[in-house]
Amino acid sequence: NSYSGWALVAEGFLLRSPVLTVVGSLIGCSGAILTKIMCDAMNRDIFNVIFGGMNTVAPAAKGDDAPKIHQETSIAATAEMIASAKEVLIVPGYGMAVARAQGSVGEIATVCRANGVNVRFGIHPVAGRMPGQMNVLLAEAGVPHEWVFEMDEVNPEMDKFDVCLIVGANDITNSAAQEVEGCAIWGMPVIEVWRGKKVIFCKRTMAGGYADLDNPVFYKENTEMLLGDAKKTADGLSTKLRERFDQA
């Protein structure tokens, strides 16, 4: 976006068009600011991004090649776990946006909050297509701003969460950023969900995220996978939670 803006500035100068020059400047500057924000969030040097072809990433250290075993769970079991918790963290990601599940996820939080379960949202700076996308989607779903917290706010309190529910997020919760030196996301700040007492990943498959990396958190003892479409899963959780609280 930034490059296209500066190209438009050059075109404006060549055509002696003040409008093109001004519009191009706005696009170029806003794109540059967005790039800097994303670089800071991913712990990447901006010059390394601009001149990426001139810098190569060291090969990642190889880990254990033995077959990895993950645990799967159900909507009913997850709903029971959330209903029995006191502190719950929901981490939304690009998968939630693709499935358009923000309304259902917001409903989960509303139902839980109304019944004494303190649900908070943890937002990674680069979750989704661009910074702020998750905030916009949650606002669209009617989630109060007071329920939404940034990564730097939730990480220090991660040990307090009884359940961490990750909806359609992968790379932003990938512990390889801290455990696998030399991998594509090595050094990138992530939401450390694996430190929670129980971790539930709601995603379509076991496949990697945008960085195409396996997520070691999937195979940790305190993690269970709730596989399926995010919208259908969130709808199911909302329904089961309502039934559970009505019976209480």
Side-chain angles (χ1 to χ4, degrees):
N1 288 341
S2 184
Y3 285 154
S4 65
W6 299 125
L8 194 60
V9 169
E11 185 177 352
F13 276 119
L14 291 174
L15 298 178
R16 300 180 183 275
S17 171
V19 175
L20 286 179
T21 303
V22 172
V23 172
S25 298
L26 292 174
I27 296 173
C29 289
S30 61
I33 293 170
L34 179 61
T35 302
K36 182 63 170 64
I37 292 173
M38 296 188 73
C39 285
D40 290 343
M42 299 182 70
N43 196 31
R44 290 283 303 278
D45 182 74
I46 191 168
F47 293 105
N48 177 266
V49 172
I50 295 174
F51 305 108
M54 298 173 61
N55 297 285
T56 57
V57 178
K62 292 186 177 180
D64 186 6
D65 293 330
K68 297 175 181 178
I69 300 175
H70 69 275
Q71 304 176 64
E72 294 189 16
T73 187
S74 64
I75 290 175
T78 302
E80 180 63 32
M81 198 178 305
I82 293 173
S84 302
K86 292 183 178 179
E87 295 286 340
V88 174
L89 178 70
I90 299 178
V91 180
Y94 181 62
M96 185 190 77
V98 172
R100 298 185 178 182
Q102 62 268 24
S104 302
V105 173
E107 184 68 17
I108 292 173
T110 300
V111 171
C112 289
R113 282 260 183 167
N115 288 275
V117 180
N118 186 25
V119 175
R120 286 182 274 175
F121 289 86
I123 307 298
H124 192 280
V126 294
R129 283 294 188 186
M130 63 184 70
Q133 183 183 15
M134 295 300 110
N135 302 74
V136 172
L137 292 177
L138 292 177
E140 176 186 293
V143 174
H145 177 72
E146 294 75 19
W147 299 3
V148 182
F149 296 83
E150 297 298 324
M151 174 183 67
D152 294 337
E153 296 177 295
V154 297
N155 269 348
E157 300 184 15
M158 196 60 66
D159 298 331
K160 299 178 182 178
F161 291 106
D162 300 304
V163 178
C164 292
L165 179 65
I166 297 88
V167 184
N170 193 343
D171 293 337
I172 61 172
T173 61
N174 196 330
S175 63
Q178 299 180 9
E179 298 172 356
V180 184
E181 185 173 357
C183 72
I185 61 171
W186 170 252
M188 169 181 159
V190 294
I191 299 180
E192 300 167 359
V193 294
W194 61 90
R195 290 173 41 217
K197 296 173 185 176
K198 194 67 180 179
V199 182
I200 306 292
F201 271 91
C202 170
K203 65 193 302 288
R204 188 177 294 275
T205 67
M206 293 291 294
Y210 184 77
D212 196 25
L213 289 175
D214 199 15
N215 191 340
V217 184
F218 294 168
Y219 313 102
K220 294 186 182 294
E221 291 184 2
N222 63 332
T223 299
E224 294 183 357
M225 305 299 297
L226 184 57
L227 301 178
D229 177 75
K231 180 68 167 62
K232 294 179 181 178
T233 300
D235 284 340
L237 284 174
S238 177
T239 300
K240 288 292 184 182
L241 283 167
R242 285 187 180 278
E243 294 175 356
R244 168 65 168 75
F245 287 127
D246 286 343
Q247 293 172 0

